[in-house]
Amino acid sequence: ISSRLSLNLHNLNSHMKLKYGCNPHQTNAEARFVDPDNVPFHVLNGKVGYINLLDALNAWQMVDEIKKSLGIVAATSFKHVSPAGAGLGVELSDELRQSYGFTEEELSPAACAYLRARGADPSSSFGDFIGLSDVVDVPTAKILAKVVSDGIIAAGYEPEALEILKAKKKGAFIVLQANDEFQPPEVEEREVYGMLLRQSRSDILITEKHLENVVSQNKEMSEEVKRDLILGLITIKYTQSNSVGYALDGQMIGIGAGQQSRVDCTKLAGRKVDAWFLRLHPKVLGLEFKEGIKRQDRINWRLRYVEGDLTPSEAENLAEVLAKKAEPFETEEKKAWLSKLEGVSFVSDAFIPFRDNIDHAVKHGVKYIAHTGGSLRDEYVTQAADEYGMVVAQTGVRLFHH
């Protein structure tokens, strides 16, 4: 296994010419290493784009921090500078494997981590950039070969896995290897409209110590819950603010990013949680597709079936891909199924300002909460959580990201 820098790496100059910037009309695009002798990654394959770099650099920091905090292989599926999902190398149930579309494949811990990261919100993860804290092995590479993705940054690659990835997208798949000797600068800068902004790097590592200040009446948290809360907090540290997240069993199951109102984030992410859990309903898993229907199409149709309210044309198209007619998925059936969701962890990148976030989060099975605290309304938010028997930890750390 060649896991780190023993591979034949591309030597990079201090400047990298990019295809274009955020948009094709932004043609004069390049990237420059602050210190050519201290680079964060090496390019093993493909041509890197502007948004690819933003995704890769954030994704790597995130999974690297999760691994350092929890000691478990971590993966993320990044899309437009925020994670669409994040997961740990925890074994998947048969139901999750079926829902995520990989029932027969060999799954290593790294492959499980990525499937958890991608499987929670597959619509958002379509065309993602992947971050993996560990070496990409062959089982993981075979999974990645089957999904629509732009590239990956990881700690290293097994030789056979690297060859599999180099063949993806007719050789255009971007493969980056993180440099484990890289030392990030203490101060970061960015230029916006003639202004040079400077700040200390947000280098705080979230650990169990940030969960010690439990302010609720209920104070019981298992090690698995603490793991999920830490996973959530580090994930939203790299999510465009305002942001909140829901976590369960070693993966994020709903992320709300970039909303001006925190309760809007809570509702947005909550809808994703519901869609994720409804996809595990026996009716959804029991949809019988005709031979030849692609895996991504099956996932998309399950999502549309879950959402309901299909137009006559959509219903006709669904019937065309099914080997057996789908039974109606009634509203009351959905409500009954969603009522079974419990033990969910909820995290916020800043203090929760109003109890409406709590009142909405409880609808999605939330039992555990971690937020910054420090608001004048903390008492009322905690009181709302106590009414539902929740556990609330105040981290004392704000995690805004822009």
Side-chain angles (χ1 to χ4, degrees):
I1 296 175
S2 184
S3 63
R4 293 283 179 178
L5 299 180
S6 57
L7 292 169
N8 182 20
L9 305 176
H10 293 180
N11 293 320
L12 297 176
N13 297 321
S14 60
H15 286 72
M16 299 170 58
K17 183 66 177 176
L18 305 177
K19 187 176 181 180
Y20 49 75
C22 283
N23 302 288
H25 66 268
Q26 295 170 273
T27 55
N28 189 16
E30 64 178 28
R32 177 176 62 86
F33 292 112
V34 175
D35 180 357
D37 296 322
N38 180 37
V39 299
F41 64 85
H42 298 272
V43 179
L44 305 188
N45 196 67
K47 185 174 181 179
V48 186
Y50 187 97
I51 297 175
N52 296 145
L53 275 179
L54 293 175
D55 284 345
L57 295 173
N58 281 286
W60 172 252
Q61 291 180 84
M62 182 182 131
V63 296
D64 187 46
E65 289 185 24
I66 294 171
K67 177 66 181 290
K68 287 175 179 175
S69 180
L70 295 176
I72 307 173
V73 56
T76 184
S77 169
F78 247 73
K79 192 76 173 291
H80 290 294
V81 206
S82 280
L88 302 174
V90 179
E91 187 176 355
L92 275 70
S93 67
D94 290 341
E95 290 79 11
L96 280 177
R97 288 185 63 132
Q98 186 177 352
S99 179
Y100 296 169
F102 291 90
T103 56
E104 304 297 332
E105 290 79 4
E106 177 187 357
L107 297 185
S108 63
C112 287
Y114 178 63
L115 284 183
R116 287 184 177 278
R118 186 181 178 97
D121 188 4
S123 294
S124 295
S125 289
F126 189 81
D128 63 351
F129 205 97
I130 301 158
L132 185 67
S133 65
D134 286 44
V135 172
V136 177
D137 52 22
V138 172
T140 305
K142 288 181 177 180
I143 295 292
L144 301 185
K146 298 178 181 180
V147 302
V148 177
S149 178
D150 283 350
I152 183 173
I153 184 168
Y157 301 84
E158 292 181 356
E160 184 181 347
L162 181 60
E163 293 307 309
I164 292 172
L165 296 181
K166 281 184 175 181
K168 185 176 173 64
K169 294 183 68 174
K170 299 180 179 179
F173 187 67
I174 300 166
V175 182
L176 309 180
Q177 180 162 315
N179 179 4
D180 61 355
E181 298 179 356
F182 174 68
Q183 296 296 321
E186 294 182 2
V187 175
E188 296 181 335
E189 297 179 342
R190 65 190 294 186
E191 184 179 337
V192 181
Y193 201 59
M195 292 291 295
L196 187 64
L197 308 179
R198 178 179 296 171
Q199 66 174 352
S200 299
R201 181 173 175 268
S202 180
D203 58 359
I204 189 168
L205 179 64
I206 304 298
T207 65
E208 280 195 22
K209 72 178 183 180
H210 293 100
L211 304 177
E212 293 175 352
N213 183 26
V214 179
V215 297
S216 55
Q217 294 175 5
N218 185 354
K219 301 183 185 300
E220 297 297 321
M221 280 192 288
S222 67
E223 291 304 310
E224 290 77 15
V225 168
K226 293 177 183 178
R227 174 201 65 190
D228 288 348
L229 288 171
I230 291 170
L231 169 65
L233 288 168
I234 297 177
T235 297
I236 62 171
K237 181 184 175 187
Y238 292 96
T239 303
Q240 298 301 298
S241 299
N242 285 323
S243 63
V244 304
Y246 298 75
L248 181 67
D249 295 338
Q251 72 174 82
M252 302 303 295
I253 58 174
I255 299 173
Q259 302 300 307
Q260 292 77 10
S261 163
R262 189 162 304 279
V263 73
D264 282 348
C265 285
T266 302
K267 292 176 180 178
L268 172 64
R271 289 196 297 271
K272 295 183 179 186
V273 170
D274 287 354
W276 171 81
F277 193 59
L278 286 170
R279 284 161 52 209
L280 299 176
H281 191 283
K283 271 193 174 180
V284 183
L285 296 179
L287 291 175
E288 297 181 26
F289 291 90
K290 293 179 179 177
E291 291 291 330
I293 303 301
K294 295 182 178 179
R295 181 192 55 81
Q296 186 63 47
D297 290 332
R298 295 179 183 222
I299 291 174
N300 291 342
W301 276 117
R302 288 193 184 106
L303 280 169
R304 294 170 80 174
Y305 177 67
V306 160
E307 292 166 354
D309 299 324
L310 296 176
T311 67
S313 176
E314 289 172 331
E316 184 177 335
N317 290 336
L318 174 59
E320 285 294 319
V321 301
L322 292 177
K324 180 181 177 182
K325 183 179 179 181
E327 297 180 18
F329 199 3
E330 304 293 349
T331 300
E332 292 305 315
E333 290 180 284
K334 295 179 183 179
K335 289 181 179 179
W337 182 256
L338 290 173
S339 69
K340 299 179 181 180
L341 181 59
E342 58 184 7
V344 176
S345 294
F346 178 83
V347 295
S348 173
D349 65 355
F351 62 72
I352 296 176
F354 300 103
R355 70 166 291 156
D356 54 359
N357 290 273
I358 308 299
D359 293 329
H360 194 84
V362 75
K363 299 175 184 177
H364 307 289
V366 168
K367 180 75 171 182
Y368 309 95
I369 295 175
H371 72 119
T372 306
S375 167
L376 294 174
R377 300 184 184 88
D378 277 351
E379 177 184 350
Y380 302 106
V381 171
T382 304
Q383 182 180 359
D386 284 338
E387 291 174 14
Y388 296 118
M390 295 176 173
V391 181
V392 180
Q394 293 183 357
T395 67
V397 179
R398 197 176 79 172
L399 298 171
F400 278 174
H401 181 64
H402 291 285

